[in-house]
Short mmCIF file of all heavy atoms in Angstrom, two decimals:
data_model
loop_
_atom_site.label_atom_id
_atom_site.label_comp_id
_atom_site.label_asym_id
_atom_site.label_seq_id
_atom_site.Cartn_x
_atom_site.Cartn_y
_atom_site.Cartn_z
N ILE A 1603 -5.82 9.72 -2.12
CA ILE A 1603 -7.05 10.17 -1.46
C ILE A 1603 -8.18 9.16 -1.56
O ILE A 1603 -9.12 9.16 -0.78
CB ILE A 1603 -7.48 11.55 -2.02
CG1 ILE A 1603 -8.57 12.19 -1.15
CG2 ILE A 1603 -7.91 11.43 -3.47
CD1 ILE A 1603 -8.91 13.61 -1.52
N ASP A 1604 -8.11 8.24 -2.56
CA ASP A 1604 -9.12 7.19 -2.71
C ASP A 1604 -8.65 5.86 -2.14
O ASP A 1604 -9.14 4.80 -2.53
CB ASP A 1604 -9.48 7.03 -4.20
CG ASP A 1604 -10.23 8.24 -4.74
OD1 ASP A 1604 -11.11 8.74 -4.03
OD2 ASP A 1604 -9.91 8.69 -5.86
N GLY A 1605 -7.71 5.91 -1.22
CA GLY A 1605 -7.20 4.69 -0.59
C GLY A 1605 -5.92 4.21 -1.26
O GLY A 1605 -5.70 4.42 -2.44
N ILE A 1606 -5.06 3.56 -0.48
CA ILE A 1606 -3.78 3.08 -1.01
C ILE A 1606 -4.04 1.85 -1.87
O ILE A 1606 -4.58 0.84 -1.38
CB ILE A 1606 -2.81 2.72 0.12
CG1 ILE A 1606 -2.58 3.94 1.03
CG2 ILE A 1606 -1.47 2.24 -0.44
CD1 ILE A 1606 -1.73 3.65 2.26
N PRO A 1607 -3.69 1.88 -3.16
CA PRO A 1607 -3.89 0.71 -4.01
C PRO A 1607 -3.24 -0.53 -3.39
O PRO A 1607 -2.13 -0.46 -2.86
CB PRO A 1607 -3.21 1.10 -5.33
CG PRO A 1607 -3.24 2.61 -5.34
CD PRO A 1607 -3.09 3.01 -3.90
N LEU A 1608 -3.94 -1.64 -3.45
CA LEU A 1608 -3.44 -2.84 -2.78
C LEU A 1608 -2.15 -3.37 -3.39
O LEU A 1608 -1.34 -4.00 -2.71
CB LEU A 1608 -4.52 -3.92 -2.76
CG LEU A 1608 -5.80 -3.53 -2.00
CD1 LEU A 1608 -6.74 -4.72 -1.90
CD2 LEU A 1608 -5.50 -2.95 -0.63
N LYS A 1609 -1.94 -3.10 -4.67
CA LYS A 1609 -0.66 -3.49 -5.27
C LYS A 1609 0.50 -2.72 -4.62
O LYS A 1609 1.60 -3.26 -4.47
CB LYS A 1609 -0.68 -3.22 -6.78
CG LYS A 1609 -1.51 -4.22 -7.56
CD LYS A 1609 -1.42 -3.99 -9.06
CE LYS A 1609 -2.22 -5.04 -9.83
NZ LYS A 1609 -2.16 -4.81 -11.29
N GLU A 1610 0.24 -1.49 -4.22
CA GLU A 1610 1.27 -0.71 -3.52
C GLU A 1610 1.49 -1.27 -2.11
O GLU A 1610 2.62 -1.33 -1.63
CB GLU A 1610 0.85 0.76 -3.44
CG GLU A 1610 0.62 1.44 -4.79
CD GLU A 1610 1.87 1.52 -5.63
OE1 GLU A 1610 2.98 1.40 -5.09
OE2 GLU A 1610 1.74 1.70 -6.86
N VAL A 1611 0.41 -1.67 -1.47
CA VAL A 1611 0.54 -2.27 -0.14
C VAL A 1611 1.41 -3.53 -0.22
O VAL A 1611 2.35 -3.71 0.56
CB VAL A 1611 -0.86 -2.63 0.44
CG1 VAL A 1611 -0.71 -3.41 1.75
CG2 VAL A 1611 -1.68 -1.37 0.66
N VAL A 1612 1.11 -4.38 -1.18
CA VAL A 1612 1.86 -5.63 -1.34
C VAL A 1612 3.32 -5.35 -1.68
O VAL A 1612 4.24 -6.01 -1.16
CB VAL A 1612 1.20 -6.51 -2.42
CG1 VAL A 1612 2.10 -7.70 -2.77
CG2 VAL A 1612 -0.16 -7.01 -1.95
N SER A 1613 3.56 -4.36 -2.54
CA SER A 1613 4.94 -4.06 -2.95
C SER A 1613 5.81 -3.58 -1.81
O SER A 1613 7.03 -3.70 -1.86
CB SER A 1613 4.93 -3.00 -4.07
OG SER A 1613 4.60 -1.72 -3.56
N LEU A 1614 5.19 -3.04 -0.76
CA LEU A 1614 5.94 -2.52 0.38
C LEU A 1614 6.18 -3.59 1.45
O LEU A 1614 6.81 -3.31 2.47
CB LEU A 1614 5.19 -1.33 1.00
CG LEU A 1614 5.16 -0.05 0.14
CD1 LEU A 1614 4.14 0.94 0.71
CD2 LEU A 1614 6.54 0.59 0.08
N CYS A 1615 5.68 -4.79 1.20
CA CYS A 1615 5.77 -5.85 2.21
C CYS A 1615 6.57 -7.05 1.69
O CYS A 1615 6.87 -7.15 0.50
CB CYS A 1615 4.36 -6.31 2.60
SG CYS A 1615 3.36 -5.00 3.36
N ASN A 1616 6.90 -7.95 2.61
CA ASN A 1616 7.55 -9.21 2.27
C ASN A 1616 6.51 -10.32 2.20
O ASN A 1616 5.41 -10.20 2.75
CB ASN A 1616 8.60 -9.57 3.33
CG ASN A 1616 9.63 -8.48 3.50
OD1 ASN A 1616 10.11 -7.92 2.52
ND2 ASN A 1616 9.99 -8.18 4.74
N TRP A 1617 6.87 -11.41 1.55
CA TRP A 1617 5.95 -12.54 1.46
C TRP A 1617 5.55 -13.03 2.85
O TRP A 1617 4.39 -13.39 3.10
CB TRP A 1617 6.58 -13.67 0.65
CG TRP A 1617 5.79 -14.94 0.70
CD1 TRP A 1617 6.14 -16.12 1.25
CD2 TRP A 1617 4.46 -15.14 0.17
NE1 TRP A 1617 5.14 -17.06 1.11
CE2 TRP A 1617 4.09 -16.48 0.44
CE3 TRP A 1617 3.55 -14.33 -0.50
CZ2 TRP A 1617 2.87 -17.02 0.08
CZ3 TRP A 1617 2.32 -14.87 -0.88
CH2 TRP A 1617 1.99 -16.20 -0.59
N ASN A 1618 6.49 -13.03 3.79
CA ASN A 1618 6.18 -13.51 5.14
C ASN A 1618 5.07 -12.70 5.80
O ASN A 1618 4.37 -13.20 6.68
CB ASN A 1618 7.44 -13.44 6.02
CG ASN A 1618 8.45 -14.51 5.67
OD1 ASN A 1618 8.11 -15.48 4.99
ND2 ASN A 1618 9.68 -14.34 6.13
N ASP A 1619 4.92 -11.44 5.40
CA ASP A 1619 3.88 -10.60 5.99
C ASP A 1619 2.48 -11.11 5.67
O ASP A 1619 1.51 -10.77 6.36
CB ASP A 1619 4.00 -9.16 5.49
CG ASP A 1619 5.29 -8.49 5.93
OD1 ASP A 1619 5.72 -8.78 7.07
OD2 ASP A 1619 5.86 -7.69 5.16
N PHE A 1620 2.36 -11.92 4.61
CA PHE A 1620 1.04 -12.37 4.16
C PHE A 1620 0.74 -13.82 4.56
O PHE A 1620 -0.19 -14.43 4.03
CB PHE A 1620 0.93 -12.20 2.64
CG PHE A 1620 1.00 -10.77 2.21
CD1 PHE A 1620 2.17 -10.24 1.71
CD2 PHE A 1620 -0.10 -9.93 2.36
CE1 PHE A 1620 2.25 -8.90 1.34
CE2 PHE A 1620 -0.03 -8.60 2.00
CZ PHE A 1620 1.14 -8.07 1.49
N LEU A 1621 1.52 -14.35 5.49
CA LEU A 1621 1.23 -15.69 5.99
C LEU A 1621 -0.05 -15.71 6.82
O LEU A 1621 -0.70 -16.74 6.96
CB LEU A 1621 2.41 -16.22 6.82
CG LEU A 1621 3.71 -16.45 6.02
CD1 LEU A 1621 4.81 -16.92 6.96
CD2 LEU A 1621 3.49 -17.42 4.88
N ASP A 1622 -0.40 -14.57 7.40
CA ASP A 1622 -1.66 -14.43 8.11
C ASP A 1622 -2.82 -14.57 7.12
O ASP A 1622 -2.79 -13.98 6.03
CB ASP A 1622 -1.71 -13.07 8.81
CG ASP A 1622 -3.07 -12.79 9.41
OD1 ASP A 1622 -3.33 -13.28 10.51
OD2 ASP A 1622 -3.86 -12.09 8.77
#
Side-chain angles (χ1 to χ4, degrees):
I1603 193 172
D1604 291 318
I1606 303 174
L1608 298 187
K1609 286 185 178 179
E1610 301 296 341
V1611 173
V1612 170
S1613 73
L1614 291 167
C1615 298
N1616 303 317
W1617 171 246
N1618 287 344
D1619 295 324
F1620 296 101
L1621 295 178
D1622 172 81

